[in-house]
């Protein structure tokens, strides 16, 4: 049985922790204290469930993909449809939770970072809902790749601040959001979008996203499914940890995280666990892409949401203890899976989710009729259609 983690130091085994400047420590300690209090507060939990049900659209359905299952001819494939949530992705689960937390803490302003724009849109939405001023940091390259989501955030009243430093992607946006939060911590909460960063953020995000796995477990039990595998994409890893955590002690069910293999594991990619090693990034100790001197390396993925050089510390712990397995899918493989699901099921997945779907090529031959494989469909692909069109055009 996996121990209840993180421990009191915010550690998942040797991973996680709180490696930040002294000036940030009081804010993190206060956030931890407030969250642990509200975690046990029935009124807060009841209010959170009410917003998730009545506003976000939970529970999401566990959909049996008949034609996709027939295509592989083995186990039945089910999709946990987080793409059907308000704003179109699982990110709204965490954004509503943290915005409620900010309001309970008396904060009037929130900052957030975003790569693909899904977390930025979710944070802007939650802030509009609860009357919080919102600033979203986004890399210039990602703003170009995800122009529609930039427009959506601005319509929701958020200020989108472009980040030109570094590679102009998610890592740099995260760094800028942290700087803003530290400078304005008295009235500002940082709505971090993934299960990474300093303690207590990996705990916060995991708890708010675990609704995915809890619902899946209950729905599968009701249907009498014999689950063989659960599969989810991994950038920072929020949808994956939300799916895996409630199944953590079910050793008969294989948990598989799929990272961005980009142009290949020997070339440019964002497959942090597959190609990185432990080090420090954004206040936490976890697997990351780095050179021999510990400098963070640029990463690449066609999917802006997976284009991050680190991963949540709980995933690093699961990897080292064997609680979950981490594979990778290339851009080409993700695009093929994107097209396959669209044509067979009439569902356009986010490019992030398409990485998880791509792993079915490897996973399905290991299954048998009568078993079930569950894929977390973390978001919808409207935002990626233009990118896919360009990619396919370039292949001609």
């Amino acid at each position: 049985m996996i121990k209840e983690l993180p421990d009191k130091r915010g550690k998942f085994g040797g991973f996680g922790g709180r490696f930040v400047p002294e000036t940030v420590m009081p804010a993190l300690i206060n956030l931890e204290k407030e969250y642990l209090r509200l975690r046990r507060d029935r009124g807060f939990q009841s209010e959170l469930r009410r917003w998730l049900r009545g506003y976000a659209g939970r529970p999401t359905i566990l959909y049996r993909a008949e034609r996709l299952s027939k295509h592989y001819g083995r186990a039945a494939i089910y999709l946990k449809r987080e793409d059907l949530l308000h704003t179109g992705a699982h990110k709204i689960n965490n954004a509503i939770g943290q915005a409620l937390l900010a309001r309970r803490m008396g904060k009037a302003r929130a900052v957030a970072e975003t790569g693909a724009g899904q977390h930025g849109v979710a944070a802007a939405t939650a802030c509009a809902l609860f009357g919080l001023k919102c600033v979203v940091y986004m890399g210039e390259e990602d703003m170009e790749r995800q122009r529609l989501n930039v427009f959506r955030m601005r319509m929701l009243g958020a200020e989108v601040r472009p980040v030109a430093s570094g590679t102009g992607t998610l890592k740099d946006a995260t760094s800028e959001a942290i700087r803003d939060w530290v400078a304005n911590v008295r009235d500002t909460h940082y709505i971090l979008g993934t299960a990474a960063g300093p303690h207590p953020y990996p705990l916060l995000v995991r708890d708010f996203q675990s609704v995915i796995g809890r619902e899946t477990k209950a729905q599968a039990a009701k249907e009498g499914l014999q689950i063989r595998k659960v599969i989810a994409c991994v950038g920072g890893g929020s949808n994956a940890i939300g799916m895996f955590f409630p199944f953590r002690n079910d050793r008969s069910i294989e948990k598989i995280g799929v990272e961005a293999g980009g142009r290949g594991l020997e070339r440019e990619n964002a497959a942090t666990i597959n190609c990185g090693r432990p080090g420090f990034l954004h206040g936490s100790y976890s697997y990351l892409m780095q050179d021999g001197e510990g400098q963070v390396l640029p990463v690449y993925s066609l999917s802006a949401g997976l284009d991050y050089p680190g991963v949540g510390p709980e995933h690093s712990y699961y990897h080292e203890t064997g609680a979950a397995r981490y594979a990778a899918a290339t851009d080409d493989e993700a695009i093929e899976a994107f097209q396959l699901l669209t044509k067979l099921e009439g569902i356009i997945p986010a490019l992030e989710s398409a990485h998880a779907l791509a792993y079915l090529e490897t996973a399905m031959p290991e299954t048998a009729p009568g078993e079930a494989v569950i894929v977390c469909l973390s978001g919808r692909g409207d935002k990626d259609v233009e990118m896919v069109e360009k990619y396919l055009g370039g292949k001609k």
Side-chain angles (χ1 to χ4, degrees):
M1 179 176 288
I2 294 179
K3 292 185 292 184
E4 286 301 319
L5 295 172
D7 63 20
K8 290 181 178 177
R9 300 170 302 157
K11 292 289 196 72
F12 300 88
F15 299 102
R18 196 152 45 200
F19 300 93
V20 295
E22 260 183 48
T23 51
V24 188
M25 287 297 281
L28 288 170
I29 290 169
N30 185 54
L31 177 60
E32 178 189 16
K33 180 182 169 186
E34 288 297 315
Y35 175 63
L36 291 179
R37 182 179 67 79
L38 290 172
R39 198 184 189 201
R40 298 187 297 270
D41 185 313
R42 290 184 180 179
F44 177 79
Q45 295 299 334
S46 175
E47 185 179 11
L48 175 60
R49 284 194 296 273
R50 193 166 64 249
W51 285 112
L52 290 178
R53 184 177 61 248
Y55 183 78
R58 302 212 71 90
T60 59
I61 61 173
L62 186 63
Y63 166 75
R64 182 175 174 121
E66 294 284 0
R67 295 192 69 210
L68 189 64
S69 302
K70 188 176 179 183
H71 172 80
Y72 287 105
R74 300 275 182 153
I77 298 169
Y78 286 79
L79 307 176
K80 182 57 175 168
R81 297 288 307 274
E82 295 295 293
D83 60 313
L84 296 179
L85 286 169
H86 179 46
T87 73
H90 72 292
K91 295 292 187 182
I92 195 71
N93 303 321
N94 171 58
I96 286 179
Q98 289 205 45
L100 268 180
L101 176 59
R103 194 171 69 168
R104 291 288 189 113
M105 292 172 67
K107 308 286 186 180
R109 179 177 181 267
V111 295
E113 85 297 330
T114 196
Q118 289 175 315
H119 173 58
V121 169
T125 299
C127 287
L129 179 64
F130 297 123
L132 301 174
K133 184 179 179 184
C134 182
V135 176
V136 180
Y137 288 88
M138 190 171 190
E140 285 189 337
E141 182 174 333
D142 288 339
M143 288 181 72
E144 177 59 29
R145 288 195 285 187
Q146 300 292 342
R147 283 177 292 177
L148 178 61
N149 274 338
V150 172
F151 185 64
R152 291 171 73 193
M153 285 183 266
R154 287 174 172 158
M155 279 202 308
L156 288 159
E159 178 188 351
V160 183
R161 292 188 182 172
V163 178
S165 58
T167 55
T169 56
L170 181 57
K171 172 181 74 70
D172 311 295
T174 304
S175 299
E176 289 302 319
I178 291 173
R179 287 191 190 99
D180 184 318
W181 179 52
V182 172
N184 300 286
V185 70
R186 184 167 294 178
D187 71 341
T188 299
H189 173 68
Y190 177 21
I191 303 180
L192 206 160
T194 195
H199 180 64
Y201 279 107
L203 168 66
L204 271 174
V205 177
R206 181 196 75 192
D207 281 2
F208 289 136
Q209 293 294 3
S210 290
V211 65
I212 302 171
R214 289 198 306 274
E215 276 181 12
T216 301
K217 197 169 185 178
Q219 290 166 328
K222 189 175 180 181
E223 295 289 326
L225 303 183
Q226 183 186 340
I227 304 174
R228 175 77 184 277
K229 302 171 188 285
V230 292
I231 305 173
C233 65
V234 176
S238 64
N239 90 98
I241 206 66
M243 175 61 93
F244 294 172
F245 183 71
F247 289 100
R248 65 194 181 284
N249 291 317
D250 294 314
R251 288 288 183 173
S252 64
I253 299 173
E254 191 176 6
K255 278 76 71 179
I256 304 166
V258 186
E259 299 187 308
R263 296 187 174 98
L265 293 184
E266 304 301 321
R267 302 171 63 194
E268 301 102 319
N269 62 71
T272 310
I273 291 178
N274 280 277
C275 298
R277 58 190 173 84
F280 297 92
L281 177 65
H282 294 144
S284 180
Y285 185 71
S286 191
Y287 271 73
L288 73 139
M289 305 289 260
Q290 56 187 307
D291 63 19
E293 297 180 347
Q295 297 299 310
V296 179
L297 290 170
V299 292
Y300 162 79
S301 170
L302 180 67
S303 168
L306 301 182
D307 199 352
Y308 183 65
V311 67
E314 192 160 5
H315 284 295
S316 295
Y317 174 74
Y318 283 13
H319 166 63
E320 292 220 337
T321 59
R325 183 155 61 91
Y326 294 85
T330 64
D331 287 350
D332 284 347
E333 291 166 340
I335 289 287
E336 286 180 20
F338 179 99
Q339 294 175 290
L340 186 65
L341 187 72
T342 302
K343 288 177 180 174
L344 290 185
E345 297 289 346
I347 298 170
I348 301 175
L351 274 176
E352 290 84 355
S353 313
H355 285 72
L357 292 163
Y359 193 72
L360 290 172
E361 293 290 331
T362 302
M364 294 309 291
E366 301 169 353
T367 67
E371 296 177 336
V373 172
I374 297 174
V375 180
C376 184
L377 203 67
S378 59
R380 69 181 185 222
D382 312 41
K383 65 184 180 58
D384 295 318
V385 170
E386 190 178 352
M387 175 69 72
V388 173
E389 182 188 27
K390 284 182 184 175
Y391 189 86
L392 292 174
K395 289 283 180 182
K396 288 179 181 175

